[in-house]
């Protein structure tokens, strides 16, 4: 028996080597990294839970790998038999083990990508990882290409760069399914793995690193992956802000130094001015109240004060280093006069609570005198925010703090000028320049908070006001009458309402939000975004409410167009808005418009949504040009392809010409925040990718599509929308099928976000949020919302005229927008597996709906073949061997989790479903007298049979990690 066990142990390694895809190139270490992490993990699993459990994991892995090899449905049933025979405790351990192995495979990939990047072997045009295609160039290559290939002068590049802005807007969309406690451990596993393969490592180092690696793998496995309570908006904001002190804060000045170096290399001997707004950060966390009743005015106030406190604290922690560095005594007369004045007015014992420089600083160190004063004000700024946050009042007078960023910059600029005048520019261009750049980027508020609210909620408030004034109903008025009344009120002076206005809770909530905006410093806020905006009155309503609530510096008002019909009507609505004199004077030649990718996709399918978004942008730019307005497009992209996600660099370069124009706002959502800013090198790459692509789009715009390409795509989009809607909205039993065939009903239990998964508790697909809609289809590996409609559209085009196939291939080769759209769909097909979806149908869907599922799966295969034909590929991802290899590596783990999920759902939904349990196999459970209760009691309130809910949630998290796309 023992002999067989040793043999069996060795077999998984042999099996892995056999099953693992081959090396793609000489510098390919992925398989090595993955095998090392897996070996360590399986040893830990055996130590904790015994040999039998490890063997079961291996058996499941082998069955999955056999299924992946031949795609035989029989193998899935064999897997199901093993999985359903596990008791509650064992089944939790096994699903946790597979979820953990997928997270480890992801970490091995990240280390491999960083390694290949370091050795500069990255070919152009690879998809490096799903979230970021590496057609990306580093900033220096972009500069050089613009100079050598396009004949741009270095000065032109420098000018364009100085005037461009990329604003990254972090949103708390509930798609980050991994807990922060685990993200930190994952980061440490990544570090250990990278260091283990360093060239100059000693045997002792190696031993210690290996120990740390095992410790972190075990710590991650022993951490409860499941969030037991939903996060509050304040939790989400703190999680989002944690990226600032971990990577973004120091990442920005580091990146800007690299830009300086790249400029030097093309012959520009100047640095990017510290106040050039190259990168800006905004946030929706605690400001986005659309459909989220948990974001109250009080929450908005809290997150603004918290962000101010964090910003002051980050500056405060750095200012002493700067004081140490600037120990010079030479300075200009202007500077000395200022330093002497501060010195004369300083109290002897004022600095006792500081650790360094706690005595009065002598006037012979003028820079330290002035920076000491900055430190005092930062200290008060931080403490005042802290007191306001905890008590609502503060005894620190506002005069003792920094109230605007100009006050903060003034003494720092004075130091900079004085050092340069005295021949010390190299010193000024050190830590001081970095500090100035941080102040210019983050200000006093760290990020600017956008407020988002649904247009209907403003209509409710105005309706209450007009009824109170003269009994008429604003809601009943025509658009013309609304505009006329709003403009008359905006031009007049009378206050519209007093404290006696009758208010419902909802109305009070909207007005109190404006009150918070009026009370807090104006640099806390960015834009006021109106979702479901359709007409000019929606924008004017917010302008009027800002005035009525005494907002001293009104926020810019941004309409958000999402549904297909709204996108089509957007250019006309914006044009009507610009034709109003009052509004034109108000905006000072600048307007921002937001376009939504998720809801447009859910409404009409990916193909039509992508094309409509493209055309709407072109038209909006024409309208803005006609009225002499500079337009900024704000792209609301999700992480997954179904919600407009995909590689950043390609996405920017495939936008229509003239639509980026040096200013770009983009949402960075949920799990994408971790992929973009989770590590220093990721943060650097993200900043570089956005900056380089924005510059390139402006200086080397993509081609405009030929008229015949447009005509073909127009006709195809109509067919695609028809097919998509005929299935999703018109098929009478579609909603029933969707709820049976996917874990959509159970999604809410994951506690991913603070926002409810539905806009309205009842209602069909329309009221379902885009995230759970995509999430549910991703879980079953069917990805229906992404590809549905493509097949019919391509079939129609080729049937209409056989030469259209040639035209489509031509579009794929020469039109970036079309190519990106097709490549992303191809990537989704590579992650899909209709065989898995068929298993869910068989177990969960009523027999009379089986034919419907079968029809959809046939459509999946047909669509896939048409996409391959268009791209001129024989196999999926043939142009990208690295991604293909990574997906193959993950597939066997994901398949086990899919089968486990399908059978667990069966047991949850069908009480009469009988399974025969075998005895416990986990050693830990067998040895304790409490049997499976240990793990099961983490969730004592579950309404399901013991262990089922946790097993289900673990499979959801594992599959999300494996597909690297949540919602």
């Amino acid at each position: 028996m023992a002999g067989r066990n040793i043999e069996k142990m060795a077999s998984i390694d042999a099996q892995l080597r056999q099953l693992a895809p081959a090396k793609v190139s000489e510098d390919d270490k992925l398989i090595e990294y993955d095998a090392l992490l897996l070996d360590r993990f399986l040893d830990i699993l055996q130590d904790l839970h015994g040999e039998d459990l490890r063997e079961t994991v291996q058996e499941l892995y082998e069955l999955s790998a056999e299924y992946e090899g031949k795609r035989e449905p029989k193998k899935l049933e064999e897997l199901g038999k093993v999985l359903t025979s596990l008791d509650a405790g064992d089944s939790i351990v096994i699903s946790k083990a597979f979820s953990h192995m997928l997270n480890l495979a992801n970490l091995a990939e990240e280390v491999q990508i960083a390694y290949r990047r370091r050795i500069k072997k990255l070919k152009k045009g690879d998809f490096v990882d799903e979230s970021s295609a590496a057609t990306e160039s580093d900033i220096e290559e972009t500069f050089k290409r613009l100079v050598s290939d396009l004949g741009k002068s270095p000065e032109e590049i420098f000018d364009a760069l100085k005037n461009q802005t990329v604003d990254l807007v972090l949103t708390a969309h509930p798609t980050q399914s991994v807990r922060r406690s685990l993200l930190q451990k994952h980061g440490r596993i990544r570090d250990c793995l990278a260091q283990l393969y360093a060239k100059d490592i000693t045997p002792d180092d190696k031993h210690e690193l290996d120990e740390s690696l095992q410790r972190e793998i075990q710590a991650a496995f022993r951490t409860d992956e499941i969030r037991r309570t939903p996060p509050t908006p304040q939790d989400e904001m703190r999680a989002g802000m944690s990226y600032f002190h971990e990577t973004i804060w120091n990442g920005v000045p580091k990146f800007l130094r690299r830009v300086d170096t790249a400029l030097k290399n093309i012959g520009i001997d100047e640095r990017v001015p510290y106040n050039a707004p190259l990168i800006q950060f905004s946030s929706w966390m605690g400001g986005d109240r659309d459909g989220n009743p948990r974001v109250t005015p009080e929450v908005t106030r809290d997150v603004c004060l918290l962000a101010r406190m964090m910003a002051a604290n980050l500056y405060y922690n750095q200012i002493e280093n700067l004081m140490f560095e600037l120990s010079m005594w030479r300075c200009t007369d202007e500077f000395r006069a200022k330093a002497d004045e501060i010195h004369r007015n300083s109290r002897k014992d004022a600095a006792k609570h500081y650790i360094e420089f706690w005595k009065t600083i002598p006037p012979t160190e003028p820079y330290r005198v002035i920076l000491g004063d900055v430190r005092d004000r930062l200290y008060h700024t931080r403490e005042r925010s802290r007191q306001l946050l905890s008590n609502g009042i503060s005894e620190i007078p506002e005069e003792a703090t920094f109230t605007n960023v100009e006050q903060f910059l003034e003494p720092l600029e004075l130091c900079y000028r004085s050092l340069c005048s005295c021949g010390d520019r190299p010193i000024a261009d050190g830590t001081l320049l970095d500090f100035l750049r941080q102040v210019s980027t983050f200000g006093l508020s760290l990020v600017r908070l956008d407020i988002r609210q649904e247009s209907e909620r403003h209509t409710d408030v105005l309706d209450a006001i007009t009824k109170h004034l003269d009994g008429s109903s604003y809601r009943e008025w025509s658009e013309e009458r609304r505009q006329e009344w709003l403009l008359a009120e905006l031009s007049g002076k009378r206050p519209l309402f007093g404290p006696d206005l009758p208010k419902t809770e909802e109305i009070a909530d909207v007005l109190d939000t404006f009150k918070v905006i009026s009370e807090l410093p104006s640099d806390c806020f960015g834009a006021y975004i109106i979702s479901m905006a359709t007409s000019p009155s929606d924008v004017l309503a917010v302008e009027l409410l800002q005035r009525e609530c005494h907002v001293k510096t009104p926020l810019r008002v941004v309409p958000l167009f999402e549904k297909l019909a709204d996108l089509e009507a957007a250019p006309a609505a914006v044009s009507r808005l610009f034709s109003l004199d009052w509004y034109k004077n108000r905006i000072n030649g600048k307007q921002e418009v937001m376009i939504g990718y998720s809801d447009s996709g859910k409404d009409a399918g990916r193909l039509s949504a992508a094309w409509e978004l493209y055309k709407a942008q072109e038209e909006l730019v024409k309208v803005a040009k006609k009225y002499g307005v500079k337009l900024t497009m704000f792209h609301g992209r999700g992480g997954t392809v179904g919600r407009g996600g995909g590689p950043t660099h390609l996405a920017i370069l495939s936008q229509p010409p003239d639509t980026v124009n040096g200013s770009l706002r983009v949402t960075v959502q949920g799990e994408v925040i971790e992929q973009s800013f989770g590590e220093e090198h990721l943060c650097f790459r993200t900043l570089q990718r956005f900056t380089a692509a924005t510059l390139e789009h402006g200086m080397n715009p993509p081609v405009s599509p030929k008229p015949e390409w447009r005509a073909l795509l127009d006709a195809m989009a109509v067919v695609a929308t028809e097919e998509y809607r005929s299935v999703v909205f018109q098929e009478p039993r579609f909603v029933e099928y969707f709820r049976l065939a996917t874990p959509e009903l159970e999604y809410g239990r994951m506690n991913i976000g603070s926002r409810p998964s539905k806009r309205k508790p009842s209602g069909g697909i329309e009221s379902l949020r885009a995230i759970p809609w995509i999430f549910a289809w991703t879980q079953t590996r069917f990805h229906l919302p992404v590809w549905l409609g493509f097949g019919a559209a391509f079939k129609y085009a080729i049937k209409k005229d056989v030469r259209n196939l040639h035209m489509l291939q031509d579009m794929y080769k020469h039109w970036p927008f079309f190519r990106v759209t097709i490549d992303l769909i191809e990537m989704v097909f590579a992650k899909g597996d209709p065989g898995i979806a068929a298993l869910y149908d068989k177990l969960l869907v009523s027999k009379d709906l089986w034919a419907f599922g079968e029809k959809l799966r046939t459509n999946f295969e047909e669509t896939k073949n048409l996409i391959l034909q268009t791209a001129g590929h024989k196999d999926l991802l043939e142009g990208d061997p690295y991604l293909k290899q990574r997906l193959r590596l993950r597939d066997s783990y994901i398949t086990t989790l899919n089968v486990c999920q399908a059978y667990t759902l069966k047991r949850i939904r069908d009480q009469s479903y009988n399974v025969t349990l075998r005895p416990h196999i986990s050693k830990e459970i067998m040895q304790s007298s409490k049997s499976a209760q240990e793990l099961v009691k983490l969730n004592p309130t579950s309404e399901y049979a013991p262990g089922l809910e946790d097993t289900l949630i673990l499979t959801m998290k594992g599959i999300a990690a494996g597909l690297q796309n949540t919602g």
Side-chain angles (χ1 to χ4, degrees), residues 239-254:
M241 295 304 107
S242 69
Y243 291 97
F244 283 84
H245 58 83
E246 277 160 27
T247 63
I248 299 173
W249 186 258
N250 291 321
V252 167
K254 204 164 154 188

Side-chain angles (χ1 to χ4, degrees), residues 861-879:
E861 293 296 349
E862 281 176 3
T863 305
K864 180 173 82 179
N865 294 332
L866 286 161
I867 292 283
L868 286 173
Q869 234 179 322
T870 305
H873 293 167
K874 286 194 183 60
D875 293 321
L876 289 171
L877 297 183
E878 69 175 37

Side-chain angles (χ1 to χ4, degrees), residues 63 100 238 256 458 488 537 580 889:
L63 283 168
H100 193 56
R238 281 174 165 85
L256 292 170
H458 306 132
S537 64
L580 304 171
L889 195 62

